[in-house]
Amino acid sequence: KNFRTIASRADVALSLLKMATPGPKKQFEITIRGKDKVPLEFENQAHEEFFDKLQQMKAFNDWCNTLDHEFIVKKLIVQSIDMFGARMGFVKFKGDITDEQGRVIPSIVFMRGASVGMLIVITCEEDKKQYTILTVQPRVPCGKYALEELPAGMLDSSGSFVGAAAKELQEETGLTVKEKDLIDLTEKAFKGSAYNHVYPSAGGSDEILRLFLYQTKMPKAKLEELEGKCTGVLEEGENIKLKIISLHELWRAAPDVKALSALCIYENLLARRELPIDYITGL
């Protein structure tokens, strides 16, 4: 009897162990540069169901299709994903990648896709001084509860950079802007080159950033109304306050690569008179 009891318990334990032990990982395949077939797997088998979503992710497709030919990709392993509703938001993966000489290339990627940043230049109607708007909001990755930045946001599913810029301006500042009134600073800066964007963190992320300029005039009273105004989309967890500063103080007012990059391009385009005359004079 004791023997049968022990054997029965052993059978139950073995069954539970089999249930808890994951089966073999599925092998998926992706196409690099439109022709090279590369194996892909998921570290977490529960994420295998999102393979189709990964293939639909614009950022992932762009990366696969435009990867320089010097990279020899042997395998990709998806380590984690974050879904934004039905859409894939963030993906972290690593690759077994070498160059043509067989040297191993560091290949850990945090994929988030494209984003936009907006430099707002406001000329005060009374004193003609120029100001800009910063957003102040919690940024957990930086460990800062009130980080000062340019208004910015991720590119939405429409794929329109200028449309995303106008949308983020309205959401984060309350300013309603027509798309035709936005100037793509990065496009002007890199005109004639292979780039129309900047890379904020090329060592770890695929993110590309397009920077836009919006210039307007306001009475001093309106500027004062914007100071400290609470904005953002509450449903998306945004908790934003606005800060108005002198444009000439921007270079040392915010530890934000978007702000410093936009200001650098803006000032260089001004110096070369490559902006429309009304933007240069502020009139």
Side-chain angles (χ1 to χ4, degrees):
K1 181 179 178 181
N2 289 338
F3 177 78
R4 288 197 300 270
T5 301
I6 293 172
S8 177
R9 289 176 178 173
D11 289 341
V12 171
L14 183 60
S15 297
L16 291 173
L17 181 62
K18 288 180 178 179
M19 291 172 61
T21 302
K25 291 182 178 180
K26 290 183 181 178
Q27 289 293 319
F28 298 89
E29 190 175 74
I30 59 169
T31 304
I32 298 289
R33 294 181 287 262
K35 58 183 178 65
D36 302 325
K37 303 298 182 181
V38 173
L40 178 144
E41 70 179 44
F42 292 83
E43 275 192 355
N44 184 344
Q45 285 182 266
H47 290 162
E48 291 177 353
E49 64 178 290
F50 296 112
F51 177 65
D52 289 341
K53 294 288 186 182
L54 178 65
Q55 289 187 301
Q56 296 166 13
M57 185 183 186
K58 186 178 186 305
F60 187 72
N61 278 304
D62 289 346
W63 184 86
C64 290
N65 291 331
T66 62
L67 197 67
D68 285 346
H69 69 85
E70 289 89 351
F71 292 117
I72 309 302
V73 184
K74 301 176 182 177
K75 185 178 183 179
L76 295 182
I77 301 174
V78 177
Q79 298 174 300
S80 66
I81 63 173
D82 289 284
M83 298 297 293
F84 292 177
R87 178 172 65 91
M88 188 161 287
F90 300 144
V91 181
K92 181 176 179 288
F93 63 87
K94 62 182 179 180
D96 180 0
I97 301 176
T98 66
D99 63 13
E100 293 172 322
Q101 285 73 48
R103 292 172 295 205
V104 175
I105 307 294
S107 307
I108 296 176
V109 180
F110 172 61
M111 181 161 284
R112 55 168 294 153
S115 59
V116 293
M118 288 71 67
L119 173 63
I120 305 169
V121 177
I122 304 172
T123 300
C124 179
E125 292 178 350
E126 287 87 353
D127 59 20
K128 308 304 179 187
K129 291 181 180 178
Q130 291 187 311
Y131 299 87
T132 193
I133 300 177
L134 296 176
T135 61
V136 184
Q137 60 186 310
R139 290 301 197 190
V140 172
C142 304
K144 300 300 179 185
Y145 187 75
L147 189 67
E148 297 165 334
E149 308 170 73
L150 287 192
M154 293 179 64
L155 190 67
D156 59 24
S157 57
S158 72
S160 169
F161 282 92
V162 67
K167 176 175 174 285
E168 292 296 335
L169 272 177
Q170 199 283 323
E171 289 180 355
E172 296 199 354
T173 70
L175 299 176
T176 301
V177 179
K178 295 179 180 178
E179 293 184 15
K180 68 179 182 63
D181 293 329
L182 292 170
I183 290 181
D184 190 334
L185 293 173
T186 36
E187 186 177 56
K188 282 186 168 291
F190 296 114
K191 186 177 181 180
S193 78
Y195 304 103
N196 58 6
H197 51 258
V198 295
Y199 294 99
S201 187
S205 177
D206 73 308
E207 181 182 9
I208 62 172
L209 175 65
R210 294 271 287 272
L211 297 165
F212 290 84
L213 168 69
Y214 174 63
Q215 184 159 302
T216 187
K217 295 183 292 183
M218 279 185 195
K220 191 172 184 179
K222 179 64 175 176
L223 275 167
E224 291 173 349
E225 286 178 16
L226 288 174
E227 176 67 33
K229 182 179 178 181
C230 295
T231 65
V233 181
L234 293 178
E235 292 80 3
E236 296 179 5
E238 293 181 336
N239 177 21
I240 299 171
K241 285 188 177 181
L242 302 184
K243 182 176 182 179
I244 310 299
I245 65 167
S246 167
L247 179 65
H248 302 295
E249 292 297 314
L250 178 58
W251 67 277
R252 58 183 176 186
D256 174 33
V257 68
K258 300 182 298 294
L260 298 175
S261 298
L263 184 64
C264 175
I265 297 173
Y266 172 72
E267 290 182 341
N268 275 278
L269 290 174
L270 280 180
R272 290 164 174 75
R273 301 188 70 81
E274 293 181 19
L275 291 174
I277 191 68
D278 55 333
Y279 280 80
I280 295 174
T281 63
L283 298 177

